[in-house]
Amino acid sequence: MTTQAPERTLGAIAHGDAPVFEEIVQMHLNTLERSGLDERTYHLVRLAALVAVDSAPASYLMNLAAAQEAGLTAADAQGVTTAIAPIVGSARVVSAAGNVLRALGLDEILNESPE
């Protein structure tokens, strides 16, 4: 794999360059199985990590969709944020809530039917 300058990588992502997305997908393959966690715990841990690192809305969109498919609920997500708030701080939890709302807006835009 060749290394690209950050500006080129970001430009490639912005323009939907498939090899960049393929690399991102490859990073996530089989992580559930390799983690040794049950599916529910796996998604709860990933959500906690997203909050802890102040992830972007697109990361929440991808991960929360997978978590929802696995049966996690909004109450589960609220439980995770309540549990980690004393560790990561209220600012990260509030930021996460805003990013989830942005992700939901992004999802709405992506799923709009063309007129």
Side-chain angles (χ1 to χ4, degrees):
M1 182 173 107
T2 59
T3 304
Q4 294 184 16
E7 298 81 16
R8 286 187 50 139
T9 302
L10 292 174
I13 290 170
H15 290 96
D17 188 1
V20 173
F21 288 116
E22 289 170 12
E23 189 66 31
I24 292 169
V25 168
Q26 290 296 318
M27 288 179 358
H28 293 274
L29 288 179
N30 304 316
T31 56
L32 171 59
E33 294 81 13
R34 290 190 321 239
S35 74
L37 300 171
D38 63 88
E39 189 173 15
R40 177 180 166 71
T41 303
Y42 173 81
H43 288 292
L44 293 172
V45 168
R46 287 177 67 94
L47 175 58
L50 291 171
V51 175
V53 300
D54 200 22
S55 291
S59 293
Y60 283 101
L61 181 61
M62 181 182 78
N63 283 279
L64 290 177
Q68 185 178 25
E69 288 177 20
L72 269 68
T73 65
D76 294 325
Q78 188 174 15
V80 167
T81 56
T82 300
I84 67 170
I87 305 300
V88 301
S90 60
R92 283 284 163 98
V93 171
V94 171
S95 177
N99 285 333
V100 167
L101 291 174
R102 287 180 197 89
L104 294 174
L106 178 60
D107 185 47
E108 198 172 299
I109 290 168
L110 291 173
N111 290 314
E112 282 181 358
S113 353
E115 296 180 33

